[in-house]
Amino acid sequence: MMSQREMKSLQERVDAITQTIKSGRLWDSIMEMAKYGATANGGVNRLALTETDNAVRIILMEWINRPNYHFFVDAIGNLFIRRDGATPSLDPVMTGSHLDTQPSGGKFDGIYGVLAGLEVFRTLDDLDMATVRPLELAVWANEEGCRFVPGCMGSACFAKPDDLPHWLAITDDESITVAQAVARFHKTLSGIPHRPLGTPVHAYVEAHIEQGPVLENTSATIGIVSGIQGCRDFQVTISGMEAHAGTTPASSRQDAMKTAVLLLRDLYTLMDSAGDECRFTVGAFQVYPNSSSVVPGQVVFNIDLRHPLQSSLTALGNKVIALCDKHTGRCSIRAKELRWRKPVEFSKVLPDLIQNAAHRLKLPKRVLPSGASHDAVNLHLCCPTGMIFVPCEGGISHNEKENAALADLHAGTQVLAEVLYRLAENIP
Amino acid sequence: MMSQREMKSLQERVDAITQTIKSGRLWDSIMEMAKYGATANGGVNRLALTETDNAVRIILMEWINRPNYHFFVDAIGNLFIRRDGATPSLDPVMTGSHLDTQPSGGKFDGIYGVLAGLEVFRTLDDLDMATVRPLELAVWANEEGCRFVPGCMGSACFAKPDDLPHWLAITDDESITVAQAVARFHKTLSGIPHRPLGTPVHAYVEAHIEQGPVLENTSATIGIVSGIQGCRDFQVTISGMEAHAGTTPASSRQDAMKTAVLLLRDLYTLMDSAGDECRFTVGAFQVYPNSSSVVPGQVVFNIDLRHPLQSSLTALGNKVIALCDKHTGRCSIRAKELRWRKPVEFSKVLPDLIQNAAHRLKLPKRVLPSGASHDAVNLHLCCPTGMIFVPCEGGISHNEKENAALADLHAGTQVLAEVLYRLAENIP
């Protein structure tokens, strides 16, 4: 084993780290984690702040429990694993992600980011390498937003500590509050010191599977995330009149289903012409009374519209509203805007570091916006932030079939290691 | 009170009957019936062969319990009220309908046909008039097909007695069989003699609210039903691939919802061009997994297609299948035909009698097919059959708001009286 002192140049030290990353150890850790909440179909069901979710955090701490590490929890249920830096007073360089999953989630979403960070820490330990700045591995609470809605809770509350009471009052389906669930987490990890929300962070970088098909389709191994696209969510309610399917002529109908179809056809046509960066989804759709022999009196559906450019998102969302107005006639149409989150664009520092690392490692790379939301969107409010994407099989995520290639997971961890090390050594 | 012997001509006798019909008595009977299973919103919830449904049959029998009447039940739960004829060996002229309702049904659907028949019988009693043939008032079991699916059960089994075992085995949501429910009905009406299914009938005429807007829109009081339109029911299953709404570009999606919209738009366009007699409804529609942030992997919907002409029904149904094939591409589409019931055209005898009666009574009339199915569709297999429609408010039925004007109900009963009397006197 080389000691830090034996390594002359920065490049030698970086190469030592990236070449020491153990992809088998990373893989084994991912597979071991996947046992907790494992489903019959090879997926994982590990909802936020459940016993299972708490259990894997303890396991993670056990895996890295060495004298140069310190653990902290905070008031919203985040866990931080701090690796000492040579200058402890400096703000830490942070990585991490989440260990909670969807109810029929996979082995990689979130987990990869945490365990890639763990693998970097283990590698630095293997090499007996210190860093100037401390390193921190964050396990954010309730990223998925399934048990407690909405998601990215832990990072959002970390970035805006004043929102804590709002978050603690949210309840799950069984009327358990976040406050109660976090108290249980604290009890499970009793003895772990508490730390205030929103402690300073020097920089944040998160590794994650892409959860989409862009990298796979373009044969890229590393996704340099430019930012996180914005979204406008609408709930559209079309109100007509229930009628007997056999007796009511078309000319007398106020058919909410027919109006929905004609409106949606125009919306799909509009969005098809808006370019490949536009994401338009009608995923939730309810018909009332939903009987085959009754002309529907009401249809309610949700629109999930996303775009990385604020101007495009604004214009397309406004056209959604305009088309709803245009199709109002026989039936009334109400478009209620549920959410308007502006796109986030990461400052260049982190994306450039990721790009350079991928270049040096000769990894096929591509700049792309993130379609999904991630904890990084909140850390962006605190410090320079970046994300490293790796491909997942068929772009499939939030699915028990979720899969990723070990070579890609390894490459992403190498990039993460280089970026973290350079930041922690103050040598961009 | 005039006796039959005092009336010279046929026309004098017919006029005496139609002028003696008491619309107030008819209305009071309808309102009294509506108390049994009354809902808070002014509707009726009286599912087939429940205690409430059995109770109103007893009430009906009590209302007409005179020496010239006889009651019979049969093995499927129908009730028959027979008014003696001068020549008892002749096959009876039958009228009737049903007393069961939808769970949120109205006061008139079915009930009007039974109580219009009752009002005719009462009027003949008021006038002390006999008829050559016996008259029978049928209360068919489970026309609505809500508790036990499908509907028109009592009349179907009457027309095809061999199907009895099939019907008796059908269960409701609580696993109660038709056999058990009918046994309970028999117990409630213990002492009422049983009669075989499918006893001969000379002719059948049923009065009913239209359950559609055609009469109201054309200011007609009497609908002369030409027949009952045919239907082809399909279940269409569109299978694509679930994907993350934020990360998956349109070009990579197999969006079952989008395919459904494009297919349905073409289907609505086709059916719009098929003329006003075509009825095309997509009333039941399910999206999977039905989450706003997931591109739908599957959509399942039902098509209810009806037309009074067999050739048109065949052609339009075949085009449904062809369009499903045409839209197969990114997603697979399977169109399963659930039912193909050919249109029924009533033979001219009854419609002509109804037309002539309406003409003589100077009532605005219109020939139209029935959009809904009725017990008459089954009686058509047994004997010359016809239906008299009267308008209902706004064409609304299967709804607690169902309403009809007393003047229209009265007019329909006058036409029914004349038709029944002429048939029972063998004087078409």
Side-chain angles (χ1 to χ4, degrees):
Chain A
M1 188 189 295
M2 293 177 288
S3 81
Q4 188 173 359
R5 271 171 300 276
E6 292 175 89
M7 288 181 279
K8 299 278 166 28
S9 73
L10 168 67
Q11 196 52 52
E12 278 174 342
R13 282 178 283 156
V14 166
D15 288 348
I17 297 166
T18 57
Q19 286 162 28
T20 306
I21 297 286
K22 290 193 173 65
S23 63
R25 179 168 59 185
L26 170 66
W27 185 260
D28 290 345
S29 301
I30 294 171
M31 293 307 123
E32 182 66 21
M33 270 300 173
K35 292 178 182 172
Y36 298 85
T39 64
N41 298 319
V44 179
N45 176 4
R46 196 162 60 218
L47 297 185
L49 297 170
T50 54
E51 273 188 61
T52 314
D53 189 34
N54 294 341
V56 291
R57 294 167 174 222
I58 293 174
I59 287 160
L60 179 71
M61 289 159 65
E62 287 170 352
W63 284 350
I64 199 76
N65 198 0
R66 296 169 56 137
N68 54 329
Y69 289 91
H70 305 279
F71 307 119
F72 302 95
V73 293
D74 68 14
I76 195 63
N78 297 316
L79 169 68
F80 301 95
I81 298 177
R82 182 181 177 101
R83 186 177 191 271
D84 287 338
T87 312
S89 61
L90 291 176
D91 295 339
V93 174
M94 188 179 277
T95 186
S97 192
H98 60 97
L99 293 175
D100 67 321
T101 75
Q102 294 274 328
S104 58
K107 302 183 183 79
F108 300 91
D109 172 8
I111 295 102
Y112 170 59
V114 174
L115 298 182
L118 174 74
E119 178 56 32
V120 173
F121 287 16
R122 283 171 157 174
T123 300
L124 292 173
D125 290 344
D126 290 345
L127 296 170
D128 196 18
M129 281 172 71
T131 51
V132 174
R133 290 181 179 273
L135 284 164
E136 289 200 2
L137 178 60
V139 182
W140 302 110
N142 185 32
E143 194 271 350
E144 294 292 358
C146 294
R147 181 180 173 197
F148 299 106
V149 181
C152 295
M153 177 180 83
S155 55
C157 192
F158 181 87
K160 294 183 177 177
D162 289 348
D163 291 346
L164 179 64
H166 156 76
W167 289 106
L168 291 179
I170 291 171
T171 55
D172 68 8
D173 282 347
E174 293 170 350
S175 301
I176 298 170
T177 60
V178 168
Q180 291 171 310
V182 170
R184 183 159 181 176
F185 163 68
H186 287 156
K187 199 175 167 194
T188 307
L189 271 71
S190 64
I192 305 299
H194 287 230
R195 192 165 89 167
L197 289 160
T199 50
V201 180
H202 177 64
Y204 178 77
V205 56
E206 179 172 351
H208 208 283
I209 57 168
E210 182 200 340
Q211 304 188 277
V214 176
L215 295 179
E216 187 176 86
N217 289 348
T218 55
S219 301
T221 303
I222 297 297
I224 301 140
V225 180
S226 56
I228 296 180
Q229 64 189 350
C231 60
R232 292 182 75 174
D233 293 348
F234 300 90
Q235 184 174 64
V236 179
T237 302
I238 301 179
S239 299
M241 176 79 173
E242 286 179 30
H244 193 298
T247 58
T248 319
S251 55
S252 298
R253 295 188 181 196
Q254 295 170 265
D255 184 340
M257 184 71 200
K258 186 176 179 182
T259 297
V261 164
L262 299 182
L263 166 60
L264 281 172
R265 191 260 182 177
D266 282 2
L267 283 168
Y268 283 120
T269 303
L270 166 69
M271 300 303 172
D272 279 347
S273 68
D276 201 45
E277 287 191 312
C278 170
R279 304 279 182 272
F280 175 78
T281 305
V282 176
F285 192 97
Q286 296 287 348
V287 177
Y288 300 94
N290 206 31
S291 166
S292 59
S293 63
V294 179
V295 178
Q298 192 172 63
V299 166
V300 180
F301 63 87
N302 282 32
I303 289 173
D304 180 305
L305 171 66
R306 310 196 200 192
H307 203 287
L309 295 179
Q310 175 62 14
S311 57
S312 301
L313 183 65
T314 302
L316 289 169
N318 292 349
K319 282 181 185 170
V320 167
I321 295 167
L323 274 174
C324 287
D325 288 344
K326 189 187 154 196
H327 280 268
T328 297
R330 280 183 183 242
C331 298
S332 67
I333 305 180
R334 194 167 70 95
K336 181 181 167 191
E337 187 143 17
L338 301 178
R339 183 170 64 158
W340 187 343
R341 202 191 62 216
K342 293 186 175 169
V344 164
E345 195 170 346
F346 294 142
S347 60
K348 296 287 283 173
V349 183
L350 268 289
D352 283 354
L353 271 173
I354 295 165
Q355 175 120 23
N356 292 341
H359 177 75
R360 237 181 332 261
L361 288 159
K362 297 187 172 54
L363 296 167
K365 61 192 181 294
R366 181 190 172 94
V367 175
L368 78 174
S370 172
S373 188
H374 293 288
D375 291 311
V377 80
N378 293 314
L379 271 294
H380 169 72
L381 302 173
C382 307
C383 60
T385 292
M387 289 192 78
I388 302 160
F389 274 176
V390 297
C392 58
E393 194 175 291
I396 298 166
S397 183
H398 285 190
N399 192 309
E400 293 170 297
K401 289 188 228 162
E402 190 179 86
N403 199 15
L406 178 52
D408 294 334
L409 299 172
H410 179 220
T413 309
Q414 287 181 304
V415 172
L416 177 67
E418 173 159 350
V419 171
L420 287 175
Y421 183 73
R422 285 178 175 272
L423 287 165
E425 288 285 84
N426 279 329
I427 40 168
Chain B
M1 191 189 294
M2 294 177 287
S3 80
Q4 189 173 1
R5 272 171 300 275
E6 293 174 271
M7 286 180 280
K8 299 274 163 36
S9 72
L10 168 67
Q11 195 52 50
E12 279 173 342
R13 282 177 285 158
V14 166
D15 288 348
I17 297 165
T18 55
Q19 286 162 27
T20 307
I21 298 286
K22 291 193 172 65
S23 62
R25 179 169 58 186
L26 170 65
W27 185 261
D28 291 344
S29 301
I30 293 171
M31 293 306 122
E32 182 66 22
M33 272 300 173
K35 293 178 182 171
Y36 298 84
T39 63
N41 298 320
V44 179
N45 176 4
R46 195 163 60 220
L47 297 186
L49 297 170
T50 54
E51 272 188 64
T52 314
D53 189 34
N54 295 341
V56 291
R57 292 163 175 226
I58 292 174
I59 286 158
L60 180 72
M61 290 159 65
E62 287 170 353
W63 285 349
I64 199 74
N65 197 1
R66 295 171 55 137
N68 54 328
Y69 289 90
H70 306 280
F71 307 120
F72 303 95
V73 293
D74 67 14
I76 196 63
N78 297 317
L79 169 68
F80 302 94
I81 299 177
R82 182 182 177 100
R83 187 177 191 268
D84 286 337
T87 311
S89 60
L90 291 175
D91 295 339
V93 174
M94 189 181 274
T95 187
S97 192
H98 58 98
L99 293 176
D100 67 319
T101 74
Q102 294 276 327
S104 57
K107 302 182 184 79
F108 301 91
D109 171 8
I111 294 103
Y112 170 59
V114 173
L115 298 182
L118 174 74
E119 178 56 30
V120 173
F121 286 16
R122 283 170 158 174
T123 300
L124 292 173
D125 292 344
D126 290 345
L127 296 171
D128 196 19
M129 283 172 69
T131 52
V132 175
R133 291 181 179 275
L135 285 163
E136 288 199 0
L137 178 60
V139 181
W140 303 110
N142 185 34
E143 194 271 350
E144 294 291 359
C146 295
R147 180 179 173 198
F148 299 106
V149 182
C152 295
M153 177 180 81
S155 55
C157 192
F158 180 87
K160 295 182 177 177
D162 290 349
D163 291 347
L164 179 63
H166 155 77
W167 289 106
L168 292 178
I170 291 170
T171 55
D172 68 7
D173 283 347
E174 294 171 350
S175 302
I176 298 171
T177 61
V178 168
Q180 290 172 309
V182 170
R184 182 157 182 179
F185 163 68
H186 287 156
K187 200 175 166 192
T188 307
L189 271 70
S190 65
I192 304 299
H194 287 231
R195 194 166 86 169
L197 290 159
T199 50
V201 180
H202 177 64
Y204 179 77
V205 57
E206 179 172 351
H208 209 284
I209 57 167
E210 182 201 340
Q211 305 188 276
V214 175
L215 296 178
E216 186 176 85
N217 289 347
T218 56
S219 301
T221 304
I222 298 297
I224 301 140
V225 180
S226 55
I228 296 180
Q229 64 190 350
C231 59
R232 291 181 76 172
D233 293 347
F234 299 91
Q235 184 174 64
V236 179
T237 303
I238 301 179
S239 299
M241 177 79 173
E242 286 178 30
H244 193 298
T247 58
T248 319
S251 55
S252 297
R253 294 186 182 198
Q254 297 170 265
D255 184 340
M257 183 71 200
K258 185 176 181 182
T259 297
V261 164
L262 299 182
L263 167 60
L264 280 172
R265 192 261 183 177
D266 281 2
L267 283 168
Y268 283 119
T269 302
L270 166 69
M271 299 303 172
D272 280 346
S273 69
D276 200 43
E277 287 192 310
C278 170
R279 304 277 181 275
F280 175 78
T281 306
V282 175
F285 192 97
Q286 297 287 348
V287 176
Y288 301 95
N290 206 31
S291 166
S292 58
S293 63
V294 179
V295 178
Q298 192 172 62
V299 166
V300 181
F301 62 87
N302 282 31
I303 289 174
D304 180 306
L305 172 66
R306 309 195 200 192
H307 203 286
L309 294 179
Q310 175 62 14
S311 57
S312 301
L313 183 65
T314 302
L316 289 169
N318 292 348
K319 282 181 185 169
V320 167
I321 296 166
L323 274 174
C324 288
D325 288 344
K326 188 187 153 196
H327 280 268
T328 297
R330 279 183 184 241
C331 299
S332 68
I333 305 181
R334 194 167 69 94
K336 181 180 168 194
E337 186 143 16
L338 301 178
R339 183 170 65 155
W340 186 343
R341 201 191 62 214
K342 294 187 174 166
V344 164
E345 195 170 343
F346 293 142
S347 60
K348 297 286 283 172
V349 184
L350 268 289
D352 283 354
L353 271 172
I354 295 165
Q355 174 120 22
N356 292 339
H359 176 76
R360 232 176 341 257
L361 289 159
K362 298 188 171 53
L363 295 167
K365 59 190 181 296
R366 182 191 171 94
V367 177
L368 79 172
S370 172
S373 188
H374 293 287
D375 291 310
V377 80
N378 293 314
L379 270 294
H380 169 72
L381 302 173
C382 306
C383 61
T385 293
M387 290 192 78
I388 302 160
F389 274 176
V390 296
C392 59
E393 193 176 294
I396 299 165
S397 184
H398 285 191
N399 192 308
E400 292 169 300
K401 288 189 225 160
E402 190 179 85
N403 198 14
L406 178 52
D408 295 334
L409 299 172
H410 180 221
T413 309
Q414 289 181 302
V415 173
L416 177 67
E418 173 159 348
V419 171
L420 287 175
Y421 182 73
R422 286 176 175 273
L423 288 164
E425 289 285 82
N426 278 328
I427 41 168

